[in-house]
Amino acid sequence: MHQLIDEASRAVGVELTELQRQQFARYAELLMEWNQKFNLTAIANPEGIATKHFADSLTLVPVLARLAAEHAKPITTVLDLGTGAGFPGLPLKIALPHLQVTLMDSTGKKVMFCQTVIDTLKLSGIRAVNGRAEEAAHDLQHREQYDLVVARAVAPLATLVEYLLPFVRVGGLCVAMKGSDAEVELSQAQGAIAKLGGAVLALHTIQLPSTQDKRAFIAIQKNSSTKTQYPRQGGGPRNKPLR
Ligand code: SAH
């Protein structure tokens, strides 16, 4: 596993220390163990974990460095919404330990798994919260509190921005990790982004190493406070996306 992790992280330009390598290896073990009892993720073999989960999550490291530099944005507090088994938030925390990370998911057993990884790896400055965006984003503990909000594989962009932007502090960013349809999704989400106080900063696309997959990053800056009516409760963002 150590070697797979090394190759996968190098391929996306991230060098790991011995401690980080051990943390990723332990994380992979826990994921394989838990996945036999609970269905946490469809990809739970060593190669898949190294490339599709760890390396893919780590592609955010250079993207964040670039966004922080180009837009002079200090990024400290990070929310990973719909984190599932911890992606991309946990790999990001392992690679960039100074970040203050919140992992949030509406499924209790996934949050329990994330908490187990946090405890086992003895990580500090990271928490796992059981919550649904439609409700948690109205909670003042979370609303407009984060420098950066990220999500991978949670919802189509027009729905996703209604989940993410309310959590972002004014002046902060959200980054959606998307596949090959990113441009179409982006064109369909323009109205929603504007209504929520956001503006598109960048669309970056890369080829994921060792897979056929394309990875797109849609970065949105939050320019003004999101109206308190958003996110709408009761399935609105999903059933009737803003336009
Ligand atoms: N980000 C992870 C998991 C993707 S699966 C990865 O890329 O591997 C989508 C996850 O989002 C699921 O775990 C689901 O429970 C969670 N989710 C979906 N809608 C949500 C919502 N409205 N609020 C919080 N979590 C949500």
Side-chain angles (χ1 to χ4, degrees):
M1 195 72 219
H2 279 245
Q3 199 186 336
L4 285 173
I5 291 166
D6 252 353
E7 287 168 7
S9 56
R10 283 220 181 97
V12 294
V14 177
E15 283 286 331
L16 301 176
T17 64
E18 185 51 34
L19 172 65
Q20 289 167 325
R21 210 171 286 131
Q22 283 170 14
Q23 289 176 323
F24 275 112
R26 191 76 187 94
Y27 182 8
E29 275 173 17
L30 289 168
L31 185 55
M32 289 186 275
E33 242 172 76
W34 274 61
N35 218 47
Q36 294 180 344
K37 289 173 278 175
F38 307 105
N39 181 27
L40 295 175
T41 168
I43 299 158
N45 59 72
E47 293 78 12
I49 292 174
T51 57
K52 302 211 169 184
H53 288 320
F54 293 168
D56 186 18
S57 297
L58 290 175
T59 57
L60 267 175
V61 172
V63 171
L64 295 189
R66 190 166 147 188
L67 285 169
E70 283 174 9
H71 303 283
K73 296 216 177 300
I75 295 171
T76 305
T77 52
V78 179
L79 171 68
D80 177 13
L81 192 270
T83 189
F87 305 113
L90 260 166
L92 203 58
K93 172 67 187 178
I94 295 172
L96 302 173
H98 68 279
L99 295 179
Q100 297 285 323
V101 174
T102 300
L103 308 170
M104 186 181 287
D105 202 284
S106 53
T107 304
K109 71 180 179 201
K110 293 183 176 171
V111 176
M112 261 173 56
F113 172 73
C114 290
Q115 190 60 53
T116 301
V117 177
I118 292 169
D119 295 342
T120 308
L121 304 190
K122 300 193 171 64
L123 299 174
S124 60
I126 180 166
R127 57 183 175 172
V129 176
N130 191 190
R132 179 170 289 282
E134 295 91 315
E135 285 128 37
H138 290 285
D139 177 345
L140 296 181
Q141 222 194 311
H142 296 293
R143 190 174 185 86
E144 303 201 325
Q145 293 300 307
Y146 298 94
D147 299 331
L148 172 72
V149 182
V150 294
R152 183 183 80 159
V154 174
L157 191 65
T159 298
L160 189 63
V161 289
E162 190 170 348
Y163 293 160
L164 303 188
L165 275 167
F167 287 108
V168 179
R169 69 167 172 80
V170 175
L173 299 171
C174 71
V175 175
M177 300 177 77
K178 288 288 175 185
S180 45
D181 284 343
E183 278 173 36
V184 176
E185 287 200 36
L186 184 54
S187 67
Q188 289 165 349
Q190 292 289 356
I193 294 167
K195 279 190 180 140
L196 295 159
V200 178
L201 268 190
L203 168 63
H204 294 305
T205 311
I206 60 165
Q207 176 71 46
L208 274 182
S210 328
T211 74
Q212 304 298 320
D213 307 346
K214 282 236 183 330
R215 169 58 68 216
F217 307 88
I218 300 174
I220 298 165
Q221 174 164 282
K222 178 145 158 181
N223 289 331
S224 55
S225 195
T226 302
K227 291 194 182 123
T228 53
Q229 73 209 72
Y230 303 124
R232 291 162 293 158
Q233 311 255 11
R238 199 178 57 240
N239 300 328
K240 215 169 174 300
L242 293 173
R243 39 187 297 160

